[in-house]
Amino acid sequence: MRHRKKGRQLSRTRSHRKATLRNLVTSLFRHERIETTTAKAKELRPYAERLITLGRRGDLHARRLAGQKIQDRQVLGKLFDDIGPRFTERPGGYTRILKLGNRKGDAAEMSLIELVN
């Protein structure tokens, strides 16, 4: 029984899941939209929105907290210089998930997750 267990396992161990989410959020901030499975997109959304909130704050502590999740310095700079200030007036809901249908090879449900303009 999985009572009170939050989040999806994504058929991965904890460390693999953590690395997958870090790579997905780095790609999302670099390209501002990525195509992935619906389960990964739904798991990525709160992870990315917390980091954008840190980017809105913009102080040193927020930068260090975000730096633990994003190892690419260029993407971290983009988060704090471009993405964070873009959403200063918005109280939340920085990402959008659009369903694309099923993937041809294994019929996995695919989605597009993007930053809202």
Side-chain angles (χ1 to χ4, degrees), residues 34-36 38 98-102 109-112:
I34 57 172
E35 185 178 326
T36 183
T38 302
L98 301 170
K99 298 202 176 171
L100 299 176
N102 294 340
E109 190 176 351
M110 299 298 288
S111 290
L112 180 77

Side-chain angles (χ1 to χ4, degrees), residues 2-3 10-11 24-25 34 41-42 45 48-49 57 61 81 89 94 108 111:
R2 57 178 312 272
H3 298 302
L10 301 175
S11 300
L24 282 171
V25 80
I34 57 172
K42 286 181 177 181
R45 177 190 279 179
E49 295 202 358
R57 274 180 32 197
H61 184 58
D81 298 336
E89 300 298 320
Y94 313 117
S111 290

